[in-house]
């Protein structure tokens, strides 16, 4: 049985949405529970497919997982497995996040090599090269990365060619248990990396330079679970997605429980496009302003414009008066939403890594298929703006990263329902 979303578009949406905990923060935080035996407690954890995949992986390694009210508890006291099977890695590439902690704690890990992915090749060479520099022996074993460090890891200097998010996280987790000092140069500065670093500090890790491009770690012989429950930081991508709604459909929205300082660039760019956005504490207020203007945007690592909002802003810019240019610099093939947006009437040309969006067009509801997580969010936005009914297939992508999206959107007035269909063929 598969599902699709049916959306009747063309209505303004007004009201409040509560932002969930960040997918990209909870995944590395869960992987970090491998580093020391004991009980870990999390608050504000999002109910997402990716989170359940990570919990399944930890369970297979021997952890016990329990939810008690708002608390997610992971007990790694008897965790002793070292293998991440292909079956889970192919569902979620972020499973690679257990490679560093398993190698650091047990001196051994066997993690399926992630294959290609709908948005590009996405190699993991920074992860494996970094572990090699820390003294691990890395081999390819029948489609699996086999890491061995029987005498433990030794601190060293690692320089990334590019500030990869999950590679920084993997090596941060490996470095905390390595002997001596590890320095990560050209490190990722994403808030989710800082969050992981702070969790490791609460576990006894000695880390400096979080949020900068040079992270220094003094290895310690062992760690312990944090004493207090950890509150997962708000999802800045979910926030950015909903923040675009007033520009697309009109109405005034209030986003609560978020962290506006994680979204400085998206907020600046959306204001430049004409949206009126105010922030106060953990709340953002957005309304349409006087007409939508085109933008010229290139995605970049944090604090630049996030690649994870590229698909959504293209949907928004179909409604701007004039020509917008959106360049994707991180992933070579992250434009699958463009051909689906065409089907809804969008006027978008693709020139290599740049989408040239001409607007405004009147989008028309139709059936579309989502091919990756953020592309599916862009189709939801477009469908909310479109005239008539749309059906969005491929929800297994959307559900990886957006918690209760139809409930949240329905609560601000969207006509949106999740439906099931029996056949494997969507149409
Ligand atoms: C993370 C996020 C994802 C986001 C991306 C970029 C998680 C779980 N996922 O993915 O939502 O879209 O950051 O902000 O946090 N690269 C290599 N070799 C490597 C690793 C990366 O060449 O070993 C390249 C990638 O192909 C890509 C670039 O580096 O071109 C950035 O990717 P990276 O930051 O690693 O993305 P992820 O950590 O996989």
């Amino acid at each position: 049985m598969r599902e699709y979303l049916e959306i009747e578009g063309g209505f303004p949406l007004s009201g409040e949405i509560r932002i969930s905990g960040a997918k990209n923060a909870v995944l590395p935080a869960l992987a970090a529970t491998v580093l020391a035996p004991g009980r870990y407690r999390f608050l504000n954890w999002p109910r997402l497919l990716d989170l359940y995949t990570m919990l399944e992986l930890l369970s297979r390694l021997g952890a016990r997982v329990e939810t008690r009210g708002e608390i997610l508890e992971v007990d790694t006291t008897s965790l002793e497995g070292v293998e991440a099977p292909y079956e889970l890695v192919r569902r979620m590439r972020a499973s690679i996040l257990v490679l560093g902690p398993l190698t650091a704690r047990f001196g051994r890990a066997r993690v399926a090599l992630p294959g290609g992915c709908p948005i590009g090749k996405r190699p993991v060479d920074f992860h494996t090269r970094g572990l090699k520099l820390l003294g691990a022996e890395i081999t390819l074993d029948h489609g699996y990365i086999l890491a061995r460090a029987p005498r433990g890891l030794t601190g060293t200097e690692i320089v990334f060619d590019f500030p990869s998010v999950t590679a920084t996280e993997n090596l941060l987790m490996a470095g905390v248990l390595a002997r001596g000092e590890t320095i990560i140069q050209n490190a990722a500065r994403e808030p989710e990396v800082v969050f992981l670093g702070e969790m490791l500090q609460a576990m006894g890790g000695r880390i400096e330079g979080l949020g900068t491009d040079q992270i220094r770690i003094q290895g310690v012989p062992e760690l312990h679970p944090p004493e207090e429950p950890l509150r997962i930081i708000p999802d800045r991508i979910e926030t950015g997605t909903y923040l675009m709604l007033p520009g697309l459909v009109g109405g005034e929205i209030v986003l609560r429980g978020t962290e506006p300082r994680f979204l400085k660039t998206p907020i600046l760019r959306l204001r430049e496009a004409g949206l009126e956005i105010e922030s106060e504490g953990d709340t953002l207020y957005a309304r349409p302003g006087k007409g939508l203007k085109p933008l010229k945007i290139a995605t970049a690592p944090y604090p630049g414009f996030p690649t994870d909002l590229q698909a959504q802003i293209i949907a928004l810019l179909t409604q701007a008066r004039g020509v917008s240019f959106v360049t994707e610099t991180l992933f070579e093939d992250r434009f699958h939403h463009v051909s689906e947006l065409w089907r809804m009437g969008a006027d978008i040309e693709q020139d290599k890594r740049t989408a040239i969006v001409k607007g405004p067009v009147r989008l028309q509801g139709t059936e579309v298929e989502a091919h990756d997580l953020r592309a599916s969010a862009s189709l939801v936005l477009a469908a909310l703006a479109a005239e008539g009914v749309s059906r969005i297939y491929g929800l297994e992508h959307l559900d990886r990263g957006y918690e209760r999206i139809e409930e949240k959107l329905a609560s601000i007035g969207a006509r949106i329902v999740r439906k099931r269909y029996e056949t494997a063929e969507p149409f």
Side-chain angles (χ1 to χ4, degrees):
M1 190 94 76
R2 295 180 70 195
E3 296 177 328
Y4 63 88
L5 281 180
E6 191 167 276
I7 297 177
E8 191 183 346
F11 304 99
L13 302 177
S14 289
E16 284 188 25
I17 292 181
R18 178 152 282 278
I19 296 302
S20 299
K23 167 178 97 66
N24 288 352
V26 76
L27 296 178
L30 287 171
T33 65
V34 166
L35 286 167
R39 277 174 51 208
Y40 296 77
R41 288 161 302 156
F42 300 98
L43 289 168
N44 199 38
W45 51 283
R47 280 70 171 163
L48 297 172
L49 273 188
D50 271 9
L51 172 124
Y52 296 119
T53 305
M54 186 57 97
L55 293 179
E56 190 177 335
L57 174 53
L58 292 175
S59 306
R60 293 216 200 165
L61 294 173
R64 275 196 20 246
V65 175
E66 223 180 282
T67 54
R68 279 188 290 112
E70 287 306 295
I71 295 188
L72 168 66
E73 192 177 292
V74 178
D75 188 339
T76 56
T77 308
S78 36
L79 185 143
E80 51 184 26
V82 292
E83 177 162 320
Y86 181 59
E87 177 202 343
L88 295 179
V89 176
R90 66 183 253 276
R91 260 196 257 160
M92 184 185 71
R93 298 178 56 85
S95 310
I96 189 79
L97 283 166
V98 295
L99 180 66
L102 285 175
T103 313
R105 164 114 189 267
F106 299 108
R108 193 181 145 83
R110 194 168 179 269
V111 176
L113 187 63
C117 125
I119 62 174
K121 288 195 293 289
R122 298 185 82 178
V124 289
D125 52 324
F126 301 166
H127 304 241
T128 49
R129 283 214 308 255
L131 280 174
K132 262 190 204 164
L133 287 170
L134 289 169
E137 184 192 313
I138 304 280
T139 45
L140 182 67
D141 178 30
H142 299 276
Y144 279 69
I145 302 164
L146 189 60
R148 270 183 294 219
R151 283 177 299 281
L153 300 170
T154 308
T156 187
E157 184 164 352
I158 296 160
V159 185
F160 284 134
D161 294 343
F162 188 90
S164 159
V165 175
T166 46
T168 302
E169 291 167 346
N170 237 332
L171 296 166
L172 191 52
M173 290 187 278
V176 277
L177 284 182
R179 268 185 304 273
E181 185 178 54
T182 300
I183 302 173
I184 307 177
Q185 303 278 13
N186 203 14
R189 293 182 285 165
E190 270 68 2
E192 294 77 17
V193 176
V194 176
F195 174 74
L196 172 68
E198 287 170 353
M199 171 175 173
L200 297 173
Q201 286 169 335
M203 292 170 68
R206 293 175 54 203
I207 305 165
E208 279 170 36
L210 292 170
T212 76
D213 61 2
Q214 181 182 293
I215 300 179
R216 280 174 182 270
I217 308 156
Q218 308 298 329
V220 293
E222 55 180 35
L223 298 162
H224 54 79
E227 266 144 44
E228 300 296 322
L230 271 181
R231 198 176 165 78
I232 305 298
I233 55 171
D235 197 312
R236 61 195 166 93
I237 305 302
E238 187 197 28
T239 307
T241 304
Y242 294 140
L243 204 53
M244 295 181 198
L245 283 170
L248 270 156
V249 299
E252 293 187 20
I253 58 158
V254 180
L255 303 178
R256 297 212 184 271
T258 187
E259 188 59 83
R261 74 192 157 96
F262 294 165
L263 286 123
K264 283 189 187 147
T265 304
I267 290 174
L268 279 173
R269 305 316 304 268
L270 291 175
R271 281 188 184 141
E272 215 178 292
L275 266 75
E276 288 176 13
I277 301 174
E278 299 301 327
S279 74
E280 200 186 307
D282 70 352
T283 304
L284 278 167
Y285 302 84
R287 49 171 190 249
K290 298 180 199 72
L292 211 55
K293 294 190 270 291
L295 292 177
K296 204 167 173 191
I297 286 188
T299 59
Y302 190 84
F305 191 87
T307 171
D308 285 351
L309 286 175
Q310 176 259 103
Q312 299 88 318
I313 202 142
I314 287 183
L316 174 72
L317 292 171
T318 63
Q319 303 308 301
R321 182 163 301 281
V323 184
S324 297
F325 296 85
V326 181
T327 303
E328 173 56 57
T329 69
L330 272 83
F331 296 110
E332 68 273 16
D333 198 13
R334 203 175 200 179
F335 277 132
H336 292 289
H337 42 288
V338 165
S339 47
E340 299 301 302
L341 291 171
W342 283 341
R343 303 196 59 255
M344 301 179 78
D347 185 350
I348 307 172
E349 267 173 56
Q350 194 185 327
D351 179 15
K352 298 194 186 85
R353 287 187 169 207
T354 300
I356 304 159
V357 190
K358 294 183 190 143
V361 293
R362 192 149 210 209
L363 295 172
Q364 299 167 11
T366 184
E367 288 144 319
V368 284
E369 171 94 30
H371 296 283
D372 71 70
L373 167 57
R374 304 307 168 183
S376 52
S378 130
L379 297 177
V380 170
L381 292 181
L384 290 167
E387 189 177 63
V389 176
S390 296
R391 286 182 182 172
I392 299 171
Y393 294 93
L395 296 193
E396 61 278 14
H397 300 293
L398 194 63
D399 292 339
R400 286 186 42 218
Y402 286 87
E403 187 179 34
R404 296 181 290 110
I405 188 167
E406 68 274 21
E407 243 178 76
K408 290 191 183 190
L409 289 170
S411 78
I412 59 167
R415 301 186 185 184
I416 176 170
V417 272
R418 185 180 285 254
K419 293 191 170 172
R420 292 185 159 185
Y421 62 97
E422 300 277 347
T423 73
E425 284 301 314
F427 309 122

